[in-house]
């Protein structure tokens, strides 16, 4: 039918749903700009976040299209392309819609994120089932999960991602859960990152600020009241030391931040490393295919 009828339907739909349950969330699976259904707050609440999460993250961390149908070396680690895409697509959301947007790395329609880390272009029909789990890089998966759990939105895990399930695009992405063959280190890592997300309000409703960017590296902050967090992710690369202007988050000289998670090509660590703000900056070290998450000490649990 017409665009006018479409929007009338969803306004009526919203009235019926919210009358039945004011706390119900209206979540749409939508490809493309959702602004027409979100901007007035009278239709959908939010969407499955392909444009402002899954796709930009996939290109940056893996260089792969989300179906594993294409590899773009020019987009792998391309910080400018990532931030440009995010700024453009996040502008279609009001803050409440963005905070509950469904942020996935994998889902029922696309190849598994862990499979995308192997840079193999194709599907089961031409590559076979085994290729989906060959040459994967779990370290890249870990740093993507760090971003998933600290980026604005509602982190949503597709079953089995936390256990290391691989698979090309639909239907190979719907493999059964690997009972008895789970990646227990990856499960433990997911549990720790979920705990961090749940424990601190700043990761649910805090504002976000880009702090630093260069080839293969993104540093951003989350802040809300007294809670401040700094997150850095690096795809590829080697050990890198970055000076970060944390004064922009409201951190003052002499204040301290402590690491809550650090990952690299070898694994992950919860060992606390304390940094002190000096001249409005801290020096953060991030490893190969690594991520680090720092949090203001006064708000640590």
């Amino acid at each position: 039918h017409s665009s006018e009828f479409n929007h009338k339907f969803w306004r009526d739909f919203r009235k019926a749903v919210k009358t039945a349950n004011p706390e119900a969330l209206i979540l749409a699976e939508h490809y493309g700009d959702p602004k027409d259904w979100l901007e007035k707050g009278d239709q959908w609440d939010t969407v499955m976040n392909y444009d402002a999460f899954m796709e930009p993250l996939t290109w940056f961390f893996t260089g792969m299209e989300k179906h594993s149908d294409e590899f773009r070396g020019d987009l792998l680690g391309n910080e400018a392309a990532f931030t440009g895409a995010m700024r453009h697509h996040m502008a279609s959301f009001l803050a409440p819609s963005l905070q509950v947007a469904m942020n996935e790395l994998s889902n029922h329609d696309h190849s598994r994120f862990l499979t995308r880390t192997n840079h193999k272009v194709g599907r089961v029909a031409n590559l076979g089932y085994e290729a989906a789990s060959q040459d994967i890089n779990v370290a890249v998966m870990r740093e993507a999960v760090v971003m998933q759990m600290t980026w604005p939105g509602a982190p949503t895990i597709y079953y089995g991602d936390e256990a290391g399930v691989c698979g090309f695009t639909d239907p190979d992405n719907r493999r059964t859960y690997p009972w008895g063959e789970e990646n227990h280190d990856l499960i433990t890592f997911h549990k720790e990152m979920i705990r961090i997300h749940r424990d601190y309000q700043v990761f649910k409703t805090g504002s976000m600020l880009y702090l630093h960017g260069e080839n293969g590296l993104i540093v951003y902050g989350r802040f809300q009241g007294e809670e401040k967090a700094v997150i850095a992710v690096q795809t590829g690369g080697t050990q890198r030391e970055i000076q970060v202007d944390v004064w922009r988050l409201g951190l003052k000289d002499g204040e301290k931040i402590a690491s809550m998670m650090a990952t690299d090509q070898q694994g992950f660590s919860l060992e606390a490393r304390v940094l002190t703000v000096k001249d409005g900056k801290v020096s953060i070290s991030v490893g190969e295919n690594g991520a680090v998450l720092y949090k203001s000490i006064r708000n640590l649990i």
Side-chain angles (χ1 to χ4, degrees):
H1 297 288
S2 67
S3 174
E4 290 80 8
F5 183 86
N6 180 295
H7 291 296
K8 179 183 183 304
F9 171 85
W10 287 114
R11 283 192 290 269
D12 291 344
F13 182 91
R14 183 181 184 87
K15 289 176 183 176
V17 169
K18 299 296 183 176
T19 298
N21 180 2
E23 298 301 314
L25 183 75
I26 300 173
L27 170 72
E29 180 170 25
H30 177 74
Y31 286 87
D33 190 346
K35 183 166 56 179
D36 288 348
W37 292 268
L38 297 177
E39 64 180 347
K40 294 181 180 179
D42 62 348
Q43 296 176 65
W44 304 339
D45 288 314
T46 194
V47 295
M48 294 174 69
N49 199 2
Y50 297 122
D51 291 348
F53 189 78
M54 181 191 280
E55 292 199 44
L57 258 74
T58 292
W59 289 119
F60 178 78
F61 284 118
T62 73
M64 296 292 291
E65 187 270 338
K66 62 183 180 294
H67 289 281
S68 291
D69 283 342
E70 181 184 11
F71 174 73
R72 291 277 304 273
D74 61 315
L75 293 180
L76 175 60
N78 189 326
E79 176 270 336
F82 173 86
T83 54
M86 284 297 200
R87 290 181 192 278
H88 175 76
H89 292 298
M90 289 171 74
S92 293
F93 292 82
L94 298 175
S97 295
L98 185 64
Q99 289 167 353
V100 294
M102 194 175 184
N103 287 354
E104 305 169 289
L105 297 175
S106 311
N107 73 3
H108 61 290
D109 281 333
H110 309 100
S111 60
R112 293 274 180 168
F113 185 89
L114 191 54
T115 290
R116 289 175 227 151
T117 68
N118 67 13
H119 302 162
K120 294 185 188 298
V121 175
R123 304 192 177 196
V124 169
N126 61 304
L127 295 178
Y129 293 100
E130 296 300 324
S133 56
Q134 293 171 348
D135 304 318
I136 58 173
N137 193 331
V138 178
V140 175
M141 178 80 177
R142 283 192 293 264
E143 60 178 336
V145 171
V146 170
M147 181 170 276
Q148 181 185 34
M149 294 296 165
T150 58
W151 195 262
T156 310
I157 298 172
Y158 185 47
Y159 81 96
D161 266 12
E162 77 285 1
V165 172
C166 295
F168 289 116
T169 203
D170 191 29
D172 194 36
N173 51 22
R174 307 188 190 207
R175 297 182 187 187
T176 56
Y177 190 83
W179 296 112
E181 298 179 2
E182 304 97 321
N183 183 327
H184 290 285
D185 285 343
L186 194 56
I187 291 174
T188 299
F189 170 74
H190 271 83
K191 287 182 176 180
E192 292 295 341
M193 284 309 308
I194 291 168
R195 176 188 59 79
I196 289 170
H197 176 83
R198 293 182 65 179
D199 281 350
Y200 301 103
Q201 189 63 30
V202 69
F203 298 126
K204 303 181 186 72
T205 55
S207 298
M208 196 210 78
L209 185 67
Y210 293 104
L211 295 174
H212 183 82
E214 54 190 82
N215 186 46
L217 178 72
I218 298 167
V219 186
Y220 59 97
R222 300 292 305 273
F223 60 100
Q224 183 172 15
E226 297 301 310
E227 288 191 1
K228 325 283 184 183
V230 181
I231 303 96
V233 295
Q234 175 179 231
T235 188
T238 57
Q239 195 74 24
R240 195 176 337 193
E241 197 84 15
I242 319 114
Q243 296 293 315
V244 181
D245 290 324
V246 294
W247 63 266
R248 299 174 62 202
L249 299 176
L251 286 164
K252 299 178 175 58
D253 283 0
E255 291 190 294
K256 299 180 185 299
I257 59 175
S259 59
M260 304 183 69
M261 174 62 74
T263 79
D264 59 21
Q265 190 62 41
Q266 307 306 314
F268 69 95
S269 172
L270 300 175
E271 182 179 353
R273 182 186 179 196
V274 177
L275 303 178
T276 303
V277 181
K278 182 178 180 182
D279 297 329
K281 304 176 184 288
V282 294
S283 181
I284 290 178
S285 179
V286 59
E288 177 186 2
N289 288 319
V292 290
L293 164 59
Y294 283 85
K295 179 80 170 52
S296 47
I297 285 182
R298 59 193 170 193
N299 300 113
L300 289 177
I301 294 176

